[in-house]
Amino acid sequence: MSVTSQQVAGHVFLRGLYADAYFPDHVLDKGKAILLRLCERIEAEQPSDLAALYVLTAVATEEFNALEAEFEAADSGIETVAREEIAEDFWFVASAYGFAEADVEVLIAARDW
């Protein structure tokens, strides 16, 4: 399945991180894939409320938690700049699918980065 939302399809995920050589593209590509899978799940499952959305974002956040080891192996990490960029993209996704009132801290509450 691919994303059907034109707003999401036109969005460049993790844009600021790709522009910084500290963050390896091959790991960022995996982060981008996590966010796109989240979009696909939202489109497929159509969460009816914030609680249902938060279940989906928790899964994606756990995937980012697992990705931290790959960042570290590449002498990088999910630090302040990356945390903010990832959080902004989670909020973008929520907003794009009609959940602009979502709390970004709840969207990524499962994070350990």
Side-chain angles (χ1 to χ4, degrees):
M1 178 180 172
S2 61
V3 172
T4 61
S5 166
Q6 292 301 314
Q7 182 181 11
V8 171
H11 183 74
V12 179
F13 287 104
L14 308 175
R15 177 192 311 258
L17 302 183
Y18 278 105
D20 187 334
Y22 176 71
F23 303 103
D25 286 357
H26 73 280
V27 181
L28 292 175
D29 291 345
K30 292 179 181 185
K32 176 182 169 184
I34 291 168
L35 292 163
L36 287 171
R37 277 194 304 276
L38 171 61
C39 295
E40 290 171 353
R41 286 195 66 195
I42 291 170
E43 289 184 9
E45 298 180 26
Q46 299 183 1
S48 59
D49 58 20
L50 281 174
L53 176 69
Y54 292 148
V55 169
L56 299 180
T57 62
V59 172
T61 302
E62 291 291 347
E63 290 183 62
F64 268 102
N65 288 346
L67 197 56
E68 173 68 14
E70 292 191 47
F71 275 104
E72 289 175 359
D75 294 324
S76 184
I78 301 178
E79 41 68 67
T80 305
V81 171
R83 282 192 295 270
E84 290 177 10
E85 185 86 13
I86 294 166
E88 286 176 16
D89 276 342
F90 268 85
W91 187 86
F92 166 80
V93 168
S95 181
Y97 289 104
F99 295 97
E101 73 282 9
D103 182 329
V104 72
E105 292 301 320
V106 180
L107 289 170
I108 58 173
R111 74 175 178 200
D112 60 13
W113 30 271

